[in-house]
Amino acid sequence: GIEGKPVRFIATPGEVVVLKGTEVIRGDWSAHEGAIYKTQVNEVFEQVFVDGEMMIEARWPNARFDQLLDRVCWAKTNVGSRYGKIVDSNLASTEIDWTGAVATLNVAHQFFSWTRTVVKHEKGSDTFTYDKDLPGITHYADKTTPWEENVYYLSGKLEALDQPTEWFLDESTGTLYVWAPDGDNPEEHEVEVKVRDYGFDVQGADYVQIEGFRFFGC
């Protein structure tokens, strides 16, 4: 466009126009275990919606999506935790081997959080390790208190899927597992996954107006 004559994308008056970054899952669902259902997908994604509501990736300790940043729902490190190592007496009670899982770590000064792969853990153990490559905090490694008053949570394991509103994607097999909010077959709902970041992607252009649209998942 030009000054005074912009290119305008506008919603028709009186109409609701929604631009989505999601695609609806069209495949057949089958029972996996209990209220957990599964289906095959072709995409890799990090967000799942059921009837327009965000679900939460299966994790331990459990939390609803609206509690994602609530530290009360994170696990707490115990005495013996150090840089590269988490010790937590409650970890053993999960009866899950978390090796290969994703650890979301709010450690050291706790101004930052990182995600790191669990390098080593054994079922029934209260300890797991991760790579000592967290930028900017290596100088905390010789201090005791910062590592023993931290919080974290674990995800990336199907075994962690144990309550409604949780999901897990097995990228190696292209299998999506979902526990719908009401526990019934996801075929009774609209299940969507986020596959694109932008509803509008405007580059190298001036005087463009976008008006009256709603954006969902983008």
Side-chain angles (χ1 to χ4, degrees), residues 77-123:
T77 63
N78 294 166
V79 174
S81 297
R82 293 292 186 273
Y83 188 29
K85 180 175 73 172
I86 295 292
V87 178
D88 178 5
S89 58
N90 292 318
L91 184 64
S93 64
T94 65
E95 290 298 315
I96 296 174
D97 179 358
W98 291 99
T99 303
V102 176
T104 300
L105 308 164
N106 184 225
V107 294
H109 47 57
Q110 301 179 349
F111 290 162
F112 303 109
S113 293
W114 294 267
T115 56
R116 288 296 182 273
T117 300
V118 175
V119 174
K120 183 179 180 180
H121 179 251
E122 296 179 359
K123 183 178 178 179

Side-chain angles (χ1 to χ4, degrees), residues 4 15 28 45-46 64 92 95-97 99 103 110 112 118-119 121 135-137 140-141 143 156 173 175 182 198:
E15 299 291 340
D28 296 327
F45 44 81
E46 297 181 349
R64 301 187 310 270
E95 290 298 315
I96 296 174
D97 179 358
T99 303
Q110 301 179 349
F112 303 109
V118 175
V119 174
H121 179 251
I137 63 169
Y140 280 83
K143 294 180 171 59
T173 63
T175 307
D182 55 8
Y198 300 102

